[in-house]
Amino acid sequence: MEPVMHQVWPRVLQRLRRTLILSKRNHSGCAEHTAVPASTHSRHIRPTLLVSRIYQPTSLRDVGQESRQGEMTCKSQRLMQQAGLIHPSNPGCYYYLPATVRSMEKLVRVIDQEMHGIGGQKLDMPSLCSADLWKTSERWDLMGKELLRLKDRHGVDYCLGPTHEEAVTTLVAHQAHLSYKQLPLLLYQITRKFRDEPKPRFGLLRGREFYMKDMYSFDVSEEAAYQTYESVCQAYTRLFARLGLRCVQVQADTGNIGGKLSHEFQLPADIGEDRLLVCGDCSFSANVETMSSDRTDCPQCKTGTLVESRGIEVGHTFYLGKKYSQVFNATFSNAQNKPSVAEMGCYGLGVTRILAAAIEVMSTEEGIRWPGLLAPYQVCVLPPKKGSKMDEVAVLADNLVHTLGEALPGLRGEVVLDDRTQMTIGKRLKDASRLGYPYVIVVGQGALEETPRFEVICQQTGETMFLGQDGLLDLLGRVETV
């Protein structure tokens, strides 16, 4: 990092000084500026990401008025709507606005990295699922009113898939010559899912339409299937650790998915709808629905006491056995070249729910705090208020946005300029806090000194630092992006 800093920064400062000199001449009425070719201002100029151009409310204080506060049933929903990250459509359905889409795409990249790391292959299956498949698995009636059903013009029944066990098993069953050498097979997708919630609430935490990562595994034996199951659980644990989220893996009911074994991944939170029993002496934890709610002794270590808490379910894993593969005849050729029914597992992650749950557990009441990897933008640069006789600093702030991207490739496209200079620094700082940029750089008079200094606010910790050019690049050079 240091060689890059020392190579780039002097060149950038020289360019900034030239810009400032031209600016001074323009303001002083010198005729010399006319000698500068017009193309000088248009060549090699990269567009600056401007807060005023991001499609979201321009003033966070004008959003979430009292008449709508009754609809805000949890902190993450209120903060996301006030910040212009989501906008309600139908009950349980939301528009995901540009900043949220950026955040979600980053989360998808992290998920892809972890799934590819254990051999996952990404595909995309139809959301419109044939009722015949669901009737074959006997889940058409089992799912009840949660299944969003519809008929086409020919009167044929379909559903909008909340999950895809039937579809993926049928897909694999159609492969006539699947060999045991090709297993384990791990197929996953990240798509919209649909569930007819009776009472949608908590914003993205419980909606009717949402994004989910669902993976399905096919193995040669029960032992191999358990190994795959464990590798996926470990990948989930790594994923949440990378996001800086404390996640608890708990024993859970298999529900209408079915199978022999199930675990939930829960983020502890008071707003959570799941009741958890956690032992204080060992690693045991379970959803209360899997055991007696009044039990206090730990079934694993026998000495610990179970304490009840609440959590938000953000992931769920199931060992299915042959529940679906037997029904749909998903077979492979074993070592003896005989057909054998595959052992299956399925593994879900609530993509949009992870975003909302992270905001729920990490944020303050006044402002969003993102997991560092998922922040829509990593840095916000604040120039001084317009008319404050600091036009030179404003030019410097604009160039700083490009400088950071040039010196730190990981920050390209991650730095925005809050160009709403009709507002005071204080008001823009408040907005930056509510939007949750991990780092806010206030460019003031100190940036014009022979040894420039910048005020840097770390939103996650609340710490304010005054850094020189090397210190600034060193700090931001440690920011991890995906």
Side-chain angles (χ1 to χ4, degrees), residues 241-258:
R242 288 181 64 185
L243 299 179
L245 297 171
R246 186 171 74 89
C247 194
V248 181
Q249 181 179 342
V250 306
Q251 294 180 14
D253 188 9
T254 57
N256 54 33
I257 299 290

Side-chain angles (χ1 to χ4, degrees), residues 267-280:
L267 294 189
D270 292 339
I271 197 69
E273 296 182 280
D274 290 294
R275 296 167 58 202
L276 313 177
L277 294 173
V278 180
C279 177

Side-chain angles (χ1 to χ4, degrees), residues 355-397:
L355 288 184
I359 290 173
E360 188 70 41
V361 301
M362 297 183 70
S363 300
T364 67
E365 291 294 333
E366 291 76 32
I368 290 174
R369 299 294 176 265
W370 297 94
L373 282 178
L374 305 187
Y377 298 96
Q378 293 291 336
V379 182
C380 182
V381 176
L382 271 61
K385 184 181 179 183
K386 186 176 181 180
S388 58
K389 298 182 180 179
M390 295 181 70
D391 291 341
E392 295 177 0
V393 182
V395 174
L396 186 60

Side-chain angles (χ1 to χ4, degrees), residues 111-120 235 238:
I111 292 172
D112 284 340
Q113 289 170 2
E114 294 298 337
M115 295 304 100
H116 294 165
I118 58 174
R238 287 193 300 271

Side-chain angles (χ1 to χ4, degrees), residues 140-157:
W140 184 257
D141 294 324
L142 180 65
M143 287 290 290
K145 293 182 178 181
E146 280 194 8
L147 203 60
L148 274 165
R149 307 159 199 260
L150 63 156
K151 291 180 183 288
D152 68 8
R153 66 178 66 195
H154 306 293
V156 179
D157 287 319

Side-chain angles (χ1 to χ4, degrees), residues 67-111:
S67 60
R68 296 178 59 185
Q69 286 294 339
E71 303 170 20
M72 313 278 189
T73 50
C74 67
K75 179 170 61 178
S76 59
Q77 181 185 9
R78 174 175 56 80
L79 290 174
M80 293 184 82
Q81 286 189 217
Q82 288 180 347
L85 298 176
I86 58 175
H87 182 78
S89 172
N90 310 311
C93 301
Y94 289 86
Y95 295 91
Y96 305 140
L97 298 178
T100 303
V101 171
R102 280 182 62 90
S103 212
M104 188 164 63
E105 288 173 344
K106 292 180 179 184
L107 177 54
V108 167
R109 287 198 286 273
V110 178
I111 292 172

